[in-house]
Amino acid sequence: MGDGHRYIPASDADREAMLRTIGVSSIDDLFASLPAALRLQAPLALGPALAEQDLWAHLEGRARENRLPTPGSQFLGGGAYRHHAPALVDHLIGRTEFYSSYTPYQPEISQGTLQAIFEYQTLICQLTELDISNASMYDGASALAEAILMAERTARAGRVVISDRLHPEYLQVCRTHLANLDIAIATFTARGDGTADPEAARRILRQTRTSALVVQHPNFFGCLEEVEALAAAAREAQAHLIVAVTEPVSLGLLKGPGSQGADVVAGEGHSFGVPLSFGGPFLGILAARQSFLRNLPGRLVGESRDVDGRRGYVLTLSTREQHIRREKATSNICTNEGLCALIASIFLAAAGKSGLRELAVHNHAKAAYARKALGAARGCSLPYGAPIFNEFTVRLPVTAEAAVAQLADRSLIPGIPLSRYFEGMDRDLLVCVTEMNARAEIDRLAEELGRLG
Amino acid sequence: MEPRSLREPERLLFELSRPGRRGFALPPLDVPEPGRFDLDPRYTRTSIEGFPELSEVEVVRHYTRLSRLNYAIDLGLYPLGSCTMKYNPKVHERIARLAGFADAHPQLPEAAAQGCLRLMHDLERALCAICGMDRFTLQPAAGAQGELAGIMMVRAYHRDRGNPRQVVLIPDSAHGTNPASAHIAGYRVEQIPSNQRGCVDLAVLRRRMADDVALLMLTNPNTLGVFEGEIQEIAGAVHAKGGLLYMDGANLNAFIGVARPGDMGVDLHHLNLHKTFSTPHGGGGPGAGPVGVKKHLEPYLPVPTVEQEGPKFVLNHDRPKSIGKVRSFFGNFGMFVRAFSYILALGPDGLRRMAETAVLNANYIRRRLQDTYHLPYSEPSLHEVVLTDHHLEETGVHTLDIAKRLMDYGFHPPTIYFPLIVKGALMIEPTESESREELDAFIEAMLRIDEEARRDPELVRTAPHTTPVRRLDEVGAARTPVLRWLPPR
């Protein structure tokens, strides 16, 4: 029987030989710099090591404790979206040269990662219709917080104005990140059709100087915003317009916010093939106009040449970063979400020009169908009239929490009760429909909701 | 046409694209067809300009070829000091992909997500046991985000006592994210110089410590791989003036199972799950940066926390003193699954053996190279050792050249020019994943490079010679940045 652990090559004999080379008599001697009083006298209070088959059985059991209905009978969105990822995505990111590599500090032996990120940056620019993109951030919410900090660095007004139709968790994350930095947050309320009112934005922007106007498009309640009108309002006030995108599949059909006057897009990219994984790892997107180049946080990959004139890629403009400027750094971000950016790139490469558009059209067409069906269900109504992409709000005859609890018995998760985030919205349910929901499931949802009244 | 070799550079996706190709098909649309859009054209685009068009096989070949241009831990030693690149066990990848985990939507009703919640609860308990802390938040998405969350908790703690204080003290050997995080949390940063042993100078610290200091951020073992043996005295000096002690836990791999931060006077610290707990780092991320705290900081943890109520696990959002959220939902859950798998697979004895072997391997390299390469600090090393290029001064060969030449020998170079307090640093961290034979081969390569530097310095200065591309012009890339592909004009 061997005396090591399967993940640790050194045998007891190796250890002995190496200790002799080092010139000490025991492993404990190597820890002599730890004061004796600090050294543990007993093993850690953990269960014994598990062999692979026991580990597998244990965690498979844990995974089964989640009671997940089929993807088609879930209508959950709200910042995380169910989409089909082609098999090639998981196959390719499962290549160990990708997932078991580190940050590409040494470009000569990291061209795979570097080129993939350069392509990712290009794809994000094309989708958002903006000039530059970084190499990804942690998630959509923290990317938005970084976008606000970036706008603040260039405009220095000490205030941002945020639409109340922003994802409430994004707002919470921004509040956390801005809490200690003397940046005030003002919010303004939506108009009756469910969208941010450009006039209301204009009024609040006029009050005092503002670095950025922040809107989500499509917004948290599913409505499409009038980005051009909002951009005009921001421009008049010399504020940057930041558009948050939580569902990037929408960009297959909707105009890139950059072409509508947005200065920055901060979004969530997990829809492009990254598993839901209970909310993470996700993929923060951050793209901006060229003028933000030296203020863009996070990593960037640039094209270069080697000594023989061959094209290659390197991490670049890192003088903005923490490893050089330290306490003056643009942000404290160190890692990106390299593997998630790679997943998104592979997904987008496979979907391509026609596939992404079709995917977006399917999402929209099914959601439009569902909205009509649910709006017509007995006792249900549609509180907002604005156009939608793949998500919408429906008002139920009972509380949404009660509806969710009741339908769980039928293996149906109809959406997100908005009372989870907002007071006074007890009967409002946020419903998301994607390509994963077949028409029959949508019909069943309408039928079940119609029975609640 | 030139014959294609296996080292040929790979063209960009956009250059491979041909109109009309597709790699993706959807089932037929089962709801009413076009014409059906209620969308006004002012919202919609007709096409995504420049987007690639490729068949499935072309996509597979493109990324497979790109993968072959990368070095990876599964190919060999990756001795990036302070980055801790260790083997990523394969079964953990399969476990993380179980549908019950991978398909779990973060907005699921709690009753449907008990498996995820219980795993988060159990991982938190395990991290508390390993680190000697009272609670952990798993939410931060990376070590640096953990630092930021931790500093914000400290700020909230001090504010609660009537004064948020103004200053964070950070040793000059610290990771660059420490000062950046402190700055973004609204603090002024002051550096504490290291002493001749590369450690915090206790006398200097005692002189500086006053009631305007919110916390000291200490990396332990520090970035020289040296254990701050006076950590209890350091904690005492900080606490005496009402400050808190933060430990950067990036180097925890060095003493896990041997000692615990919570027993050292540390008030809070972050972990990097991808380092100590071996979740794959995927070419730069995702990471995960849980933060452990002692009881007095618990009220400030980000929302939500996971609590056990009888047989059920619930999310608690009702925490009035919480700093809020640092990212959406619950953090990088997929990384929690892998890290928890790692803890279960190793158990208490395996975790200790891991730290012991990591330290053994670093000391083995140190012993065998220290007579050739310059060892700037002679303090005992734990998991990593810092050498320099000082001994090669007259040859004109520098650290960067040594790093590049290592590639020709088939190794990823160590971390270079860090920590900043060491001129020409080569920071080597082998971890426990390496066999004696792999270490010997690396040592042999390092010794041969030293010989080459003396015999034929040009050979080393122009390395690498065998990589897919050779030295790249990084200065030019920064001077005229090209950050995206554009169609040829």
Side-chain angles (χ1 to χ4, degrees), chain A residues 159 161 200-208 210 213 233-234 237 239:
Chain A
R159 185 176 88 138
V161 170
R202 204 167 260 122
R203 275 195 300 277
I204 194 166
L205 285 167
R206 252 187 236 128
Q207 289 169 355
T208 178
T210 302
L213 171 65

Side-chain angles (χ1 to χ4, degrees), chain B residues 47 59 83 100 108 147 152 161 176 192 195 213 284 310 340 348 438:
Chain B
S47 140
V59 173
C83 295
L108 282 171
E147 286 172 17
M152 285 175 173
R161 275 153 193 74
I192 294 283
N195 62 20
V213 175
F340 190 52
E438 183 77 358

Side-chain angles (χ1 to χ4, degrees), chain A residues 4-352:
Chain A
H5 186 278
R6 63 188 181 278
Y7 300 162
I8 306 170
S11 67
D12 286 351
D14 290 326
R15 282 159 60 118
E16 289 307 316
M18 290 164 76
L19 287 170
R20 272 198 304 279
T21 303
I22 295 165
V24 295
S25 53
S26 78
I27 289 268
D28 275 352
D29 294 348
L30 297 178
F31 289 94
S33 59
L34 271 73
L38 292 181
R39 285 194 248 171
L40 290 173
Q41 301 306 311
L44 294 169
L46 299 168
L50 298 183
E52 183 165 314
Q53 78 184 62
D54 293 336
L55 176 70
W56 176 260
H58 181 80
L59 286 167
E60 198 187 30
R62 192 58 45 83
R64 255 187 279 116
E65 285 168 24
N66 287 335
R67 293 203 319 274
L68 308 184
T70 62
S73 52
Q74 297 178 41
F75 293 86
L76 295 169
Y81 301 89
R82 297 151 294 110
H83 293 292
H84 174 76
L88 87 167
V89 174
D90 195 52
H91 174 84
L92 288 168
I93 63 134
R95 289 189 65 86
T96 65
E97 299 91 332
F98 285 132
Y99 82 78
S100 82
S101 62
Y102 202 77
T103 305
Y105 293 128
Q106 299 287 346
E108 296 84 357
I109 49 174
S110 311
Q111 284 298 301
T113 292
L114 288 161
Q115 182 172 331
I117 293 175
F118 183 81
E119 292 172 346
Y120 164 84
Q121 291 173 180
T122 305
L123 291 163
I124 296 302
C125 290
Q126 292 166 341
L127 276 176
T128 57
E129 300 191 78
L130 283 164
D131 306 317
I132 51 174
S133 158
N134 72 10
S136 75
M137 315 209 84
Y138 306 138
D139 76 330
S142 56
L144 178 60
E146 290 287 343
I148 291 173
L149 290 176
M150 177 171 77
E152 182 60 31
R153 276 195 297 280
T154 56
R156 296 200 178 278
R159 185 176 88 138
V160 290
V161 170
I162 301 180
S163 158
D164 72 348
R165 305 280 114 158
L166 175 68
H167 194 305
E169 295 205 7
Y170 282 44
L171 183 60
Q172 285 179 343
V173 169
C174 291
R175 283 196 194 284
T176 304
H177 284 262
L178 302 185
N180 304 308
L181 296 175
D182 291 326
I183 303 170
I185 296 179
T187 56
F188 66 106
T189 48
R191 54 190 175 190
D193 71 349
T195 64
D197 181 355
E199 279 315 309
R202 204 167 260 122
R203 275 195 300 277
I204 194 166
L205 285 167
R206 252 187 236 128
Q207 289 169 355
T208 178
R209 282 192 61 223
T210 302
S211 295
L213 171 65
V214 179
V215 297
Q216 179 179 324
H217 174 65
N219 73 30
F220 183 68
F221 295 73
C223 303
L224 302 191
E225 296 287 1
E226 290 183 18
V227 178
E228 273 178 29
L230 292 159
R235 209 160 36 240
E236 285 161 29
Q238 293 180 316
H240 301 298
L241 177 67
I242 301 175
V243 173
V245 177
T246 62
E247 172 50 299
V249 168
S250 66
L251 295 171
L253 180 62
L254 303 180
K255 281 181 179 159
S259 73
Q260 297 185 291
D263 300 291
V264 182
V265 167
E268 175 51 61
H270 88 86
S271 279
F272 299 144
V274 180
L276 284 165
S277 270
F278 206 45
F282 271 12
L283 170 66
I285 289 171
L286 188 57
R289 292 200 188 289
Q290 185 72 29
S291 55
F292 288 98
L293 178 64
R294 301 206 181 246
N295 274 293
L296 195 67
R299 297 195 182 283
L300 295 169
V301 169
E303 188 181 295
S304 188
R305 297 271 157 190
D306 78 355
V307 289
D308 299 325
R310 282 147 94 69
R311 183 171 68 173
Y313 303 90
V314 296
L315 289 175
T316 193
L317 297 175
S318 55
T319 48
R320 308 157 302 124
E321 281 187 79
Q322 37 80 21
H323 50 264
I324 297 177
R325 287 170 55 89
R326 296 172 76 89
E327 71 271 13
K328 292 191 183 65
T330 299
S331 85
N332 71 325
I333 302 270
C334 179
T335 55
N336 64 330
E337 297 286 299
L339 200 63
C340 298
L342 178 70
I343 292 172
S345 299
I346 296 169
F347 179 96
L348 292 172

